[in-house]
Amino acid sequence: MKALVYEGVEQLGYRDVPDISPDAGRQLIRVDAVGICGSDMHAYLGHDARRPAPLILGHEAAGTIVGGAKDGRRVTVNPLVTCGKCMACRARRENLCADRQIISMPPRAGAFAQYVTMPDSNLVEVPTGTPLTKAALAEPLAVSWHAVRLALEALHPMMPREALVIGGGAIGLAAALALKAMAVETVTIAEPNEIRRAFLQEQCGQEVVAEATGDYAIVIDAVGYAATRAIASRCARPGGVIAHVGLGEDR
């Protein structure tokens, strides 16, 4: 099969790799759509020691099951593979599984390829009428939804429902949408890039500022640098909640 292989810092090769076949309890999925995560870019630029070359990157995927009883089903992929047996997994907190692995990080190849294999439990069927290009967004949307849900669970009920999102990239925008879906009344995105600010305002209908000021009950750091962590601390009002979801720096 063909795959886009990370071969070194700022080096990618589109080439043949060995074909794959599913083990018992797994499905072979033809990848029809896959997103480029910020972590993929970090690896490409040589900023992620967890993803050494050579490696097939990509974990935001959707596609079609090939073969078996579920042949032809359209699915989106949960890229986090867990043991399913530990206390965390039994409590449905699979993200805390000590043996968790994610595709696009050794020992698991990613989805920048024609095919990927995944356990049945990691697949969610895509409704008829939903394009697979949109279904591939399920994983990054879920990241932001989870972060916002945790922040709201930690927020004291007497605190105002107002939030600042630092960073207007995919995760930041998804966090803003999740906040509004969960009835947060005022949501502001702080985004220094003028072009991105214009897109968020004109195409996404978001309230956007160039620089974070004021204080907020909820602050979502969707960037993850020391500078944005400092901004989050400065802008969180006493008793507020900060959710760090960005991974801009690995320390």
PDB file of all heavy atoms in Angstrom, residues 213-245:
ATOM      1  N   THR A 213      -7.264  40.262  27.614  1.00  0.00           N
ATOM      2  CA  THR A 213      -7.294  41.165  28.763  1.00  0.00           C
ATOM      3  C   THR A 213      -8.515  40.825  29.600  1.00  0.00           C
ATOM      4  O   THR A 213      -9.405  40.094  29.168  1.00  0.00           O
ATOM      5  CB  THR A 213      -7.369  42.631  28.318  1.00  0.00           C
ATOM      6  OG1 THR A 213      -8.546  42.820  27.523  1.00  0.00           O
ATOM      7  CG2 THR A 213      -6.139  43.036  27.528  1.00  0.00           C
ATOM      8  N   GLY A 214      -8.574  41.378  30.798  1.00  0.00           N
ATOM      9  CA  GLY A 214      -9.713  41.149  31.669  1.00  0.00           C
ATOM     10  C   GLY A 214      -9.584  39.866  32.454  1.00  0.00           C
ATOM     11  O   GLY A 214      -8.522  39.226  32.482  1.00  0.00           O
ATOM     12  N   ASP A 215     -10.680  39.492  33.127  1.00  0.00           N
ATOM     13  CA  ASP A 215     -10.667  38.239  33.871  1.00  0.00           C
ATOM     14  C   ASP A 215     -11.917  37.433  33.555  1.00  0.00           C
ATOM     15  O   ASP A 215     -12.978  37.976  33.253  1.00  0.00           O
ATOM     16  CB  ASP A 215     -10.517  38.469  35.376  1.00  0.00           C
ATOM     17  CG  ASP A 215     -11.592  39.376  35.941  1.00  0.00           C
ATOM     18  OD1 ASP A 215     -12.524  39.744  35.202  1.00  0.00           O
ATOM     19  OD2 ASP A 215     -11.503  39.721  37.128  1.00  0.00           O
ATOM     20  N   TYR A 216     -11.768  36.119  33.616  1.00  0.00           N
ATOM     21  CA  TYR A 216     -12.805  35.194  33.169  1.00  0.00           C
ATOM     22  C   TYR A 216     -12.932  34.034  34.152  1.00  0.00           C
ATOM     23  O   TYR A 216     -11.956  33.631  34.780  1.00  0.00           O
ATOM     24  CB  TYR A 216     -12.468  34.631  31.782  1.00  0.00           C
ATOM     25  CG  TYR A 216     -12.403  35.676  30.693  1.00  0.00           C
ATOM     26  CD1 TYR A 216     -11.252  36.438  30.520  1.00  0.00           C
ATOM     27  CD2 TYR A 216     -13.478  35.893  29.846  1.00  0.00           C
ATOM     28  CE1 TYR A 216     -11.184  37.395  29.520  1.00  0.00           C
ATOM     29  CE2 TYR A 216     -13.414  36.855  28.842  1.00  0.00           C
ATOM     30  CZ  TYR A 216     -12.266  37.596  28.683  1.00  0.00           C
ATOM     31  OH  TYR A 216     -12.193  38.549  27.696  1.00  0.00           O
ATOM     32  N   ALA A 217     -14.140  33.494  34.230  1.00  0.00           N
ATOM     33  CA  ALA A 217     -14.369  32.338  35.091  1.00  0.00           C
ATOM     34  C   ALA A 217     -13.718  31.078  34.512  1.00  0.00           C
ATOM     35  O   ALA A 217     -13.269  30.203  35.252  1.00  0.00           O
ATOM     36  CB  ALA A 217     -15.865  32.115  35.287  1.00  0.00           C
ATOM     37  N   ILE A 218     -13.672  30.984  33.196  1.00  0.00           N
ATOM     38  CA  ILE A 218     -13.091  29.825  32.515  1.00  0.00           C
ATOM     39  C   ILE A 218     -12.066  30.326  31.509  1.00  0.00           C
ATOM     40  O   ILE A 218     -12.353  31.240  30.729  1.00  0.00           O
ATOM     41  CB  ILE A 218     -14.158  29.002  31.764  1.00  0.00           C
ATOM     42  CG1 ILE A 218     -15.276  28.558  32.699  1.00  0.00           C
ATOM     43  CG2 ILE A 218     -13.527  27.791  31.083  1.00  0.00           C
ATOM     44  CD1 ILE A 218     -16.490  28.037  31.968  1.00  0.00           C
ATOM     45  N   VAL A 219     -10.888  29.730  31.521  1.00  0.00           N
ATOM     46  CA  VAL A 219      -9.869  30.028  30.515  1.00  0.00           C
ATOM     47  C   VAL A 219      -9.410  28.714  29.904  1.00  0.00           C
ATOM     48  O   VAL A 219      -9.000  27.787  30.620  1.00  0.00           O
ATOM     49  CB  VAL A 219      -8.659  30.772  31.113  1.00  0.00           C
ATOM     50  CG1 VAL A 219      -7.641  31.076  30.016  1.00  0.00           C
ATOM     51  CG2 VAL A 219      -9.094  32.069  31.788  1.00  0.00           C
ATOM     52  N   ILE A 220      -9.500  28.625  28.594  1.00  0.00           N
ATOM     53  CA  ILE A 220      -9.027  27.455  27.853  1.00  0.00           C
ATOM     54  C   ILE A 220      -7.757  27.855  27.112  1.00  0.00           C
ATOM     55  O   ILE A 220      -7.795  28.717  26.234  1.00  0.00           O
ATOM     56  CB  ILE A 220     -10.072  26.956  26.835  1.00  0.00           C
ATOM     57  CG1 ILE A 220     -11.449  26.755  27.484  1.00  0.00           C
ATOM     58  CG2 ILE A 220      -9.578  25.684  26.154  1.00  0.00           C
ATOM     59  CD1 ILE A 220     -11.531  25.629  28.455  1.00  0.00           C
ATOM     60  N   ASP A 221      -6.625  27.248  27.478  1.00  0.00           N
ATOM     61  CA  ASP A 221      -5.374  27.497  26.759  1.00  0.00           C
ATOM     62  C   ASP A 221      -5.256  26.460  25.657  1.00  0.00           C
ATOM     63  O   ASP A 221      -4.916  25.304  25.908  1.00  0.00           O
ATOM     64  CB  ASP A 221      -4.181  27.417  27.711  1.00  0.00           C
ATOM     65  CG  ASP A 221      -2.844  27.613  27.001  1.00  0.00           C
ATOM     66  OD1 ASP A 221      -2.851  27.923  25.790  1.00  0.00           O
ATOM     67  OD2 ASP A 221      -1.797  27.436  27.655  1.00  0.00           O
ATOM     68  N   ALA A 222      -5.534  26.883  24.431  1.00  0.00           N
ATOM     69  CA  ALA A 222      -5.485  25.976  23.290  1.00  0.00           C
ATOM     70  C   ALA A 222      -4.193  26.131  22.490  1.00  0.00           C
ATOM     71  O   ALA A 222      -4.130  25.747  21.331  1.00  0.00           O
ATOM     72  CB  ALA A 222      -6.691  26.222  22.381  1.00  0.00           C
ATOM     73  N   VAL A 223      -3.159  26.690  23.119  1.00  0.00           N
ATOM     74  CA  VAL A 223      -1.863  26.868  22.468  1.00  0.00           C
ATOM     75  C   VAL A 223      -0.802  26.023  23.161  1.00  0.00           C
ATOM     76  O   VAL A 223      -0.160  25.177  22.548  1.00  0.00           O
ATOM     77  CB  VAL A 223      -1.444  28.351  22.453  1.00  0.00           C
ATOM     78  CG1 VAL A 223      -0.101  28.525  21.744  1.00  0.00           C
ATOM     79  CG2 VAL A 223      -2.513  29.197  21.770  1.00  0.00           C
ATOM     80  N   GLY A 224      -0.591  26.277  24.457  1.00  0.00           N
ATOM     81  CA  GLY A 224       0.302  25.405  25.215  1.00  0.00           C
ATOM     82  C   GLY A 224       1.744  25.847  25.270  1.00  0.00           C
ATOM     83  O   GLY A 224       2.640  25.000  25.343  1.00  0.00           O
ATOM     84  N   TYR A 225       1.993  27.149  25.249  1.00  0.00           N
ATOM     85  CA  TYR A 225       3.342  27.664  25.447  1.00  0.00           C
ATOM     86  C   TYR A 225       3.442  28.302  26.830  1.00  0.00           C
ATOM     87  O   TYR A 225       2.420  28.630  27.452  1.00  0.00           O
ATOM     88  CB  TYR A 225       3.693  28.684  24.373  1.00  0.00           C
ATOM     89  CG  TYR A 225       4.077  28.068  23.048  1.00  0.00           C
ATOM     90  CD1 TYR A 225       3.116  27.822  22.084  1.00  0.00           C
ATOM     91  CD2 TYR A 225       5.397  27.726  22.772  1.00  0.00           C
ATOM     92  CE1 TYR A 225       3.453  27.242  20.865  1.00  0.00           C
ATOM     93  CE2 TYR A 225       5.749  27.151  21.566  1.00  0.00           C
ATOM     94  CZ  TYR A 225       4.770  26.911  20.609  1.00  0.00           C
ATOM     95  OH  TYR A 225       5.116  26.338  19.422  1.00  0.00           O
ATOM     96  N   ALA A 226       4.655  28.521  27.289  1.00  0.00           N
ATOM     97  CA  ALA A 226       4.830  29.160  28.587  1.00  0.00           C
ATOM     98  C   ALA A 226       4.133  30.518  28.625  1.00  0.00           C
ATOM     99  O   ALA A 226       3.506  30.890  29.625  1.00  0.00           O
ATOM    100  CB  ALA A 226       6.322  29.311  28.900  1.00  0.00           C
ATOM    101  N   ALA A 227       4.219  31.251  27.520  1.00  0.00           N
ATOM    102  CA  ALA A 227       3.592  32.573  27.467  1.00  0.00           C
ATOM    103  C   ALA A 227       2.077  32.478  27.590  1.00  0.00           C
ATOM    104  O   ALA A 227       1.443  33.300  28.272  1.00  0.00           O
ATOM    105  CB  ALA A 227       3.969  33.276  26.169  1.00  0.00           C
ATOM    106  N   THR A 228       1.462  31.490  26.933  1.00  0.00           N
ATOM    107  CA  THR A 228      -0.001  31.379  27.010  1.00  0.00           C
ATOM    108  C   THR A 228      -0.443  30.811  28.352  1.00  0.00           C
ATOM    109  O   THR A 228      -1.536  31.149  28.833  1.00  0.00           O
ATOM    110  CB  THR A 228      -0.560  30.528  25.861  1.00  0.00           C
ATOM    111  OG1 THR A 228       0.040  29.220  25.875  1.00  0.00           O
ATOM    112  CG2 THR A 228      -0.281  31.187  24.518  1.00  0.00           C
ATOM    113  N   ARG A 229       0.380  29.991  28.965  1.00  0.00           N
ATOM    114  CA  ARG A 229       0.053  29.531  30.316  1.00  0.00           C
ATOM    115  C   ARG A 229       0.072  30.713  31.289  1.00  0.00           C
ATOM    116  O   ARG A 229      -0.771  30.799  32.194  1.00  0.00           O
ATOM    117  CB  ARG A 229       1.022  28.435  30.756  1.00  0.00           C
ATOM    118  CG  ARG A 229       0.791  27.108  30.047  1.00  0.00           C
ATOM    119  CD  ARG A 229       1.556  25.970  30.704  1.00  0.00           C
ATOM    120  NE  ARG A 229       2.989  26.046  30.422  1.00  0.00           N
ATOM    121  CZ  ARG A 229       3.573  25.465  29.378  1.00  0.00           C
ATOM    122  NH1 ARG A 229       2.842  24.781  28.502  1.00  0.00           N
ATOM    123  NH2 ARG A 229       4.876  25.558  29.184  1.00  0.00           N
ATOM    124  N   ALA A 230       1.017  31.624  31.089  1.00  0.00           N
ATOM    125  CA  ALA A 230       1.069  32.819  31.937  1.00  0.00           C
ATOM    126  C   ALA A 230      -0.151  33.704  31.696  1.00  0.00           C
ATOM    127  O   ALA A 230      -0.726  34.264  32.639  1.00  0.00           O
ATOM    128  CB  ALA A 230       2.354  33.593  31.661  1.00  0.00           C
ATOM    129  N   ILE A 231      -0.566  33.837  30.438  1.00  0.00           N
ATOM    130  CA  ILE A 231      -1.763  34.624  30.122  1.00  0.00           C
ATOM    131  C   ILE A 231      -2.991  34.001  30.781  1.00  0.00           C
ATOM    132  O   ILE A 231      -3.843  34.704  31.347  1.00  0.00           O
ATOM    133  CB  ILE A 231      -1.958  34.717  28.597  1.00  0.00           C
ATOM    134  CG1 ILE A 231      -0.848  35.559  27.969  1.00  0.00           C
ATOM    135  CG2 ILE A 231      -3.329  35.301  28.263  1.00  0.00           C
ATOM    136  CD1 ILE A 231      -0.826  35.503  26.451  1.00  0.00           C
ATOM    137  N   ALA A 232      -3.077  32.665  30.723  1.00  0.00           N
ATOM    138  CA  ALA A 232      -4.213  31.979  31.330  1.00  0.00           C
ATOM    139  C   ALA A 232      -4.284  32.268  32.821  1.00  0.00           C
ATOM    140  O   ALA A 232      -5.361  32.550  33.363  1.00  0.00           O
ATOM    141  CB  ALA A 232      -4.113  30.478  31.072  1.00  0.00           C
ATOM    142  N   SER A 233      -3.148  32.211  33.488  1.00  0.00           N
ATOM    143  CA  SER A 233      -3.125  32.479  34.929  1.00  0.00           C
ATOM    144  C   SER A 233      -3.507  33.926  35.221  1.00  0.00           C
ATOM    145  O   SER A 233      -4.217  34.208  36.194  1.00  0.00           O
ATOM    146  CB  SER A 233      -1.737  32.171  35.495  1.00  0.00           C
ATOM    147  OG  SER A 233      -1.433  30.794  35.377  1.00  0.00           O
ATOM    148  N   ARG A 234      -3.059  34.839  34.367  1.00  0.00           N
ATOM    149  CA  ARG A 234      -3.358  36.250  34.584  1.00  0.00           C
ATOM    150  C   ARG A 234      -4.840  36.559  34.365  1.00  0.00           C
ATOM    151  O   ARG A 234      -5.414  37.417  35.040  1.00  0.00           O
ATOM    152  CB  ARG A 234      -2.509  37.101  33.637  1.00  0.00           C
ATOM    153  CG  ARG A 234      -2.620  38.596  33.893  1.00  0.00           C
ATOM    154  CD  ARG A 234      -1.807  39.393  32.895  1.00  0.00           C
ATOM    155  NE  ARG A 234      -2.395  39.397  31.563  1.00  0.00           N
ATOM    156  CZ  ARG A 234      -1.773  39.036  30.461  1.00  0.00           C
ATOM    157  NH1 ARG A 234      -0.518  38.607  30.512  1.00  0.00           N
ATOM    158  NH2 ARG A 234      -2.379  39.076  29.290  1.00  0.00           N
ATOM    159  N   CYS A 235      -5.453  35.857  33.423  1.00  0.00           N
ATOM    160  CA  CYS A 235      -6.831  36.182  33.040  1.00  0.00           C
ATOM    161  C   CYS A 235      -7.888  35.364  33.780  1.00  0.00           C
ATOM    162  O   CYS A 235      -9.086  35.607  33.596  1.00  0.00           O
ATOM    163  CB  CYS A 235      -7.007  36.002  31.538  1.00  0.00           C
ATOM    164  SG  CYS A 235      -6.133  37.224  30.533  1.00  0.00           S
ATOM    165  N   ALA A 236      -7.481  34.387  34.569  1.00  0.00           N
ATOM    166  CA  ALA A 236      -8.454  33.604  35.327  1.00  0.00           C
ATOM    167  C   ALA A 236      -8.810  34.355  36.603  1.00  0.00           C
ATOM    168  O   ALA A 236      -7.931  34.699  37.400  1.00  0.00           O
ATOM    169  CB  ALA A 236      -7.890  32.230  35.660  1.00  0.00           C
ATOM    170  N   ARG A 237     -10.085  34.617  36.804  1.00  0.00           N
ATOM    171  CA  ARG A 237     -10.483  35.335  38.002  1.00  0.00           C
ATOM    172  C   ARG A 237     -10.384  34.413  39.212  1.00  0.00           C
ATOM    173  O   ARG A 237     -10.356  33.187  39.065  1.00  0.00           O
ATOM    174  CB  ARG A 237     -11.909  35.865  37.850  1.00  0.00           C
ATOM    175  CG  ARG A 237     -12.995  34.815  37.771  1.00  0.00           C
ATOM    176  CD  ARG A 237     -14.364  35.469  37.901  1.00  0.00           C
ATOM    177  NE  ARG A 237     -14.565  36.524  36.919  1.00  0.00           N
ATOM    178  CZ  ARG A 237     -15.512  37.454  37.027  1.00  0.00           C
ATOM    179  NH1 ARG A 237     -16.337  37.441  38.055  1.00  0.00           N
ATOM    180  NH2 ARG A 237     -15.646  38.380  36.086  1.00  0.00           N
ATOM    181  N   PRO A 238     -10.281  34.947  40.417  1.00  0.00           N
ATOM    182  CA  PRO A 238     -10.190  34.103  41.614  1.00  0.00           C
ATOM    183  C   PRO A 238     -11.354  33.110  41.666  1.00  0.00           C
ATOM    184  O   PRO A 238     -12.513  33.480  41.483  1.00  0.00           O
ATOM    185  CB  PRO A 238     -10.271  35.115  42.764  1.00  0.00           C
ATOM    186  CG  PRO A 238      -9.707  36.370  42.183  1.00  0.00           C
ATOM    187  CD  PRO A 238     -10.174  36.382  40.758  1.00  0.00           C
ATOM    188  N   GLY A 239     -11.007  31.849  41.886  1.00  0.00           N
ATOM    189  CA  GLY A 239     -12.021  30.804  41.893  1.00  0.00           C
ATOM    190  C   GLY A 239     -12.359  30.268  40.526  1.00  0.00           C
ATOM    191  O   GLY A 239     -13.205  29.379  40.395  1.00  0.00           O
ATOM    192  N   GLY A 240     -11.693  30.786  39.487  1.00  0.00           N
ATOM    193  CA  GLY A 240     -11.959  30.335  38.131  1.00  0.00           C
ATOM    194  C   GLY A 240     -11.254  29.033  37.811  1.00  0.00           C
ATOM    195  O   GLY A 240     -10.549  28.441  38.640  1.00  0.00           O
ATOM    196  N   VAL A 241     -11.437  28.590  36.584  1.00  0.00           N
ATOM    197  CA  VAL A 241     -10.892  27.300  36.129  1.00  0.00           C
ATOM    198  C   VAL A 241     -10.063  27.530  34.869  1.00  0.00           C
ATOM    199  O   VAL A 241     -10.498  28.242  33.957  1.00  0.00           O
ATOM    200  CB  VAL A 241     -12.024  26.297  35.829  1.00  0.00           C
ATOM    201  CG1 VAL A 241     -11.453  25.007  35.243  1.00  0.00           C
ATOM    202  CG2 VAL A 241     -12.822  25.992  37.087  1.00  0.00           C
ATOM    203  N   ILE A 242      -8.884  26.927  34.836  1.00  0.00           N
ATOM    204  CA  ILE A 242      -8.036  26.943  33.637  1.00  0.00           C
ATOM    205  C   ILE A 242      -7.950  25.510  33.108  1.00  0.00           C
ATOM    206  O   ILE A 242      -7.667  24.576  33.866  1.00  0.00           O
ATOM    207  CB  ILE A 242      -6.619  27.448  33.939  1.00  0.00           C
ATOM    208  CG1 ILE A 242      -6.659  28.878  34.481  1.00  0.00           C
ATOM    209  CG2 ILE A 242      -5.746  27.383  32.686  1.00  0.00           C
ATOM    210  CD1 ILE A 242      -5.310  29.377  34.972  1.00  0.00           C
ATOM    211  N   ALA A 243      -8.190  25.347  31.815  1.00  0.00           N
ATOM    212  CA  ALA A 243      -8.008  24.049  31.163  1.00  0.00           C
ATOM    213  C   ALA A 243      -6.894  24.188  30.136  1.00  0.00           C
ATOM    214  O   ALA A 243      -6.996  24.991  29.204  1.00  0.00           O
ATOM    215  CB  ALA A 243      -9.292  23.583  30.493  1.00  0.00           C
ATOM    216  N   HIS A 244      -5.825  23.426  30.330  1.00  0.00           N
ATOM    217  CA  HIS A 244      -4.697  23.442  29.400  1.00  0.00           C
ATOM    218  C   HIS A 244      -4.877  22.291  28.407  1.00  0.00           C
ATOM    219  O   HIS A 244      -4.785  21.118  28.770  1.00  0.00           O
ATOM    220  CB  HIS A 244      -3.370  23.282  30.150  1.00  0.00           C
ATOM    221  CG  HIS A 244      -3.053  24.429  31.059  1.00  0.00           C
ATOM    222  ND1 HIS A 244      -2.664  25.670  30.594  1.00  0.00           N
ATOM    223  CD2 HIS A 244      -3.077  24.528  32.412  1.00  0.00           C
ATOM    224  CE1 HIS A 244      -2.453  26.487  31.614  1.00  0.00           C
ATOM    225  NE2 HIS A 244      -2.699  25.822  32.727  1.00  0.00           N
ATOM    226  N   VAL A 245      -5.127  22.635  27.154  1.00  0.00           N
ATOM    227  CA  VAL A 245      -5.343  21.590  26.147  1.00  0.00           C
ATOM    228  C   VAL A 245      -4.329  21.690  25.008  1.00  0.00           C
ATOM    229  O   VAL A 245      -4.114  20.734  24.281  1.00  0.00           O
ATOM    230  CB  VAL A 245      -6.791  21.649  25.618  1.00  0.00           C
ATOM    231  CG1 VAL A 245      -7.061  22.942  24.877  1.00  0.00           C
ATOM    232  CG2 VAL A 245      -7.127  20.457  24.750  1.00  0.00           C
TER     233      VAL A 245
END
